[in-house]
Amino acid sequence: MTPAELSRTVLYAVRRAVEDGELAVAVPERVVVAPPGPGGCGDYATNVALQLARPAGQPAPRVAEVIRARLLGAGEISDVVVTGPGFINFRLRSGAPAGLVREILRHGSRYGHGDSLAGQGVVRLRAANEVRAVVHLDAVARVLRSQGALVHAGCAGPLVAEWGSVLGVRVDGVPDGSPDAGIRPVPAPSDPLPLGRDAARWALLYPAPHDRPRIDDGHLVQRESNPLFRVRYAHARSRAVVRNAADLGFGAEQGAVEAQAALVQALADHPRVLAGAATHRAPDRLARHLVSVADALLPLLPAVLPLGDEKPSAAHRARLALAEAAGTVLAGGLSLLGIDAPDHL
């Protein structure tokens, strides 16, 4: 069960409680689920009971218990616990990662894309005529469009030709009206063009907009100290194990994978991270998330393929499916940042 599926399940439980007369509230359009915070438990949690308590005229723990009763045993939910002032915590069954992997592989590089920003009119963005600002503008526009937004991305002046030809920046011209958001990150301290498209964009996008970017050859080194290298290396390794498994005569098959909670959590968080990056105009959130996915994926890869005379097992097939899903998320995320994800490094 993915966060999106769990959100729909909670929403259905709320709707049933309203229809049964236990809650007198307007059913929300969406319910946010996320990893539990301090004091929580399980795999995911939601604060929907706290949001509904005041309009329902009931204490949040009572609202949470009403919703909880309709969630026990639903789908892949194995347990539901109310904690703190009314947070609803979920524990998923052990096979739940298989559903997540299935959804990622079904959607491919568009996993995490949605329509939460559709139908809200055109989002008008404007950036200063400075290299980091226009690269941020381009990335923010890509992320917003992944969530269904219509975007007009404008620059205060004509682009330097190499910003388009080398860095892949695209703008729609001067904004036709007052912008909804001005893109004003701390300017680049030096020219990033010598780094080439991928390293230059990463150097400008990975730091938070209020942080001074580092423009140097460290973004080009192929070492674990370079976050961009780790992300692209993890993706290339994921593609390599898929090719190698095919050479050995077996393929991916969704199933539970033990001791991979960090990776499963990072993959499940991807839609939430994309939505947050769009809402806050913060592509750095996506970049840091990709590093988290890569760092969680790399320890899995040595166990994907059989060793020596070992025969491929269900565990190998499940690990292969999880590795393929993680590589898919890395490729899709890098694409939104305007960065290539090569199959070979």
Side-chain angles (χ1 to χ4, degrees), residues 116-128:
S116 62
L117 299 181
Q120 300 183 17
V122 177
V123 178
R124 291 177 171 81
L125 306 174
R126 181 189 178 103

Side-chain angles (χ1 to χ4, degrees), residues 43-334:
D43 300 300
Y44 295 101
T46 179
N47 65 349
V48 65
L50 283 76
Q51 297 173 353
L52 297 179
R54 177 172 292 182
Q58 300 185 42
R62 166 60 185 160
V63 174
E65 288 294 345
V66 169
I67 299 171
R68 173 182 178 274
R70 288 166 169 76
L71 290 169
L72 287 170
E76 295 170 347
I77 299 173
S78 65
D79 195 17
V80 186
V81 177
V82 177
T83 60
F87 291 101
I88 304 174
N89 300 259
F90 309 92
R91 190 177 303 280
L92 304 183
R93 302 185 195 282
S94 60
L100 172 64
V101 168
R102 190 177 302 112
E103 179 175 0
I104 294 172
L105 297 180
R106 176 161 52 90
H107 289 283
S109 62
R110 292 184 60 81
Y111 168 66
H113 291 216
D115 58 2
S116 62
L117 299 181
Q120 300 183 17
V122 177
V123 178
R124 291 177 171 81
L125 306 174
R126 181 189 178 103
N129 195 16
E130 183 272 330
V131 63
R132 190 183 187 201
V134 298
V135 169
H136 263 255
L137 175 77
D138 181 76
V140 168
R142 291 168 185 256
V143 174
L144 283 167
R145 288 171 180 136
S146 79
Q147 303 305 302
L150 295 175
V151 182
H152 186 284
C155 183
L159 293 183
V160 174
E162 289 82 358
W163 296 352
S165 61
V166 176
L167 301 181
V169 170
R170 293 181 297 172
V171 299
D172 301 315
V174 177
D176 52 351
S178 299
D180 298 304
I183 307 298
R184 295 184 293 271
V186 172
S190 58
D191 184 7
L193 287 172
L195 296 178
R197 172 172 173 165
D198 295 330
R201 288 185 70 104
W202 183 268
L204 298 173
L205 295 172
Y206 181 64
H210 58 268
D211 290 335
R212 179 183 173 91
R214 176 175 57 85
I215 309 298
D216 59 37
D217 291 346
H219 297 291
L220 298 173
V221 299
Q222 298 198 27
R223 298 196 192 109
E224 289 187 2
S225 59
N226 178 5
L228 174 59
F229 170 73
R230 295 206 305 275
V231 172
R232 300 175 88 196
Y233 178 66
H235 169 263
R237 285 284 310 279
S238 74
R239 299 306 304 152
V241 295
V242 171
R243 293 192 301 270
N244 293 339
D247 291 341
L248 294 174
F250 77 99
E253 186 175 303
Q254 290 85 21
V257 180
E258 296 182 359
Q260 296 299 322
L263 178 56
V264 170
Q265 187 69 69
L267 298 179
D269 279 350
H270 188 64
R272 180 180 61 83
V273 172
L274 278 186
T279 299
H280 298 283
R281 317 291 197 257
D284 59 291
R285 294 188 178 200
L286 173 58
R288 290 194 297 273
H289 173 65
L290 296 180
V291 175
S292 297
V293 173
D295 288 346
L297 170 61
L298 286 169
L300 166 70
L301 294 172
V304 170
L305 300 177
L307 298 177
D309 295 332
E310 189 179 12
K311 299 298 183 183
S313 66
H316 290 112
R317 292 181 174 87
R319 292 180 202 132
L320 179 62
L322 182 58
E324 185 177 0
T328 298
V329 167
L330 292 174
L334 286 172

